[in-house]
């Protein structure tokens, strides 16, 4: 199956914490960084997720925010440090490719104004921010 989701990073489940309807699933990405996904219990069961399961974490580029450093006092669980590898700007929007984990990349779709305000260019250190509820998982 082909998907339009640009961000697809392989990893391994390290923990599953079930709730009544939802579960949080911790995934160690192949490069060592950790990502948290909040998915339904039904999805956990359907995918057969357990500690040690190989998965692919997927995030739409429109759901990736960027900051110039770690952000304190926010509920966003995933803060992945990285380095901008490419910036492509259009009239109003831009795509920013960030090397985050052992050769893996995340693409963020942000406004052109945000690129300017943050001073983003190839080589800029950034932190990719992704809410746990915006991380989808697929079995590898």
């Amino acid at each position: 199956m082909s998907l339009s989701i640009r961000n697809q990073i392989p990893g391994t489940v390290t923990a599953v914490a079930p709730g009544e309807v939802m579960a949080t699933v911790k995934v160690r990405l192949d490069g060592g960084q950790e990502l948290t996904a909040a998915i339904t219990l039904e999805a956990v069961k359907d995918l057969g997720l357990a500690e040690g399961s190989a998965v692919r974490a997927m995030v739409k580029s429109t759901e990736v925010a960027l900051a110039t450093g770690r952000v304190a006092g926010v509920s966003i669980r995933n803060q992945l440090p990285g380095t901008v590898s490419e910036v492509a700007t259009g009239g109003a929007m831009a795509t920013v490719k960030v090397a985050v984990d052992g050769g893996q990349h995340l693409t963020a779709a942000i406004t052109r104004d945000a690129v300017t305000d943050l001073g983003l260019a190839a080589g800029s250190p950034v932190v990719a921010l992704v809410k746990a509820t915006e991380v989808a998982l697929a079995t590898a």
Side-chain angles (χ1 to χ4, degrees):
M1 169 189 340
S2 295
L3 296 173
S4 64
I5 297 175
R6 293 183 188 189
N7 300 312
Q8 300 184 30
I9 302 175
T12 304
V13 173
T14 59
V16 178
E20 292 201 22
V21 176
M22 300 287 289
T24 56
V25 180
K26 295 203 181 288
V27 176
R28 180 165 315 282
L29 303 178
D30 283 358
Q33 292 193 48
E34 193 164 275
L35 190 69
T36 299
I39 63 174
T40 65
L41 278 178
E42 185 177 356
V44 169
K45 291 175 187 171
D46 288 349
L47 295 171
L49 297 180
E51 188 174 330
S53 297
V55 294
R56 188 165 290 278
M58 299 181 292
V59 181
K60 290 175 61 177
S61 61
T62 53
E63 301 303 333
V64 178
L66 299 176
T68 55
R70 286 206 173 266
V71 182
V74 296
S75 63
I76 297 173
R77 304 302 340 140
N78 300 304
Q79 296 195 29
L80 303 171
T83 304
V84 173
S85 59
E86 182 181 329
V87 178
T89 57
M93 297 296 293
T95 56
V96 180
K97 193 178 237 185
V98 179
V100 291
D101 192 71
Q104 297 297 318
H105 286 83
L106 278 178
T107 298
I110 62 176
T111 65
R112 183 179 178 153
D113 288 345
V115 169
T116 301
D117 291 349
L118 296 173
L120 300 180
S124 299
V126 293
V127 176
L129 307 168
V130 182
K131 290 176 63 174
T133 53
E134 299 305 328
V135 178
L137 297 175
T139 50

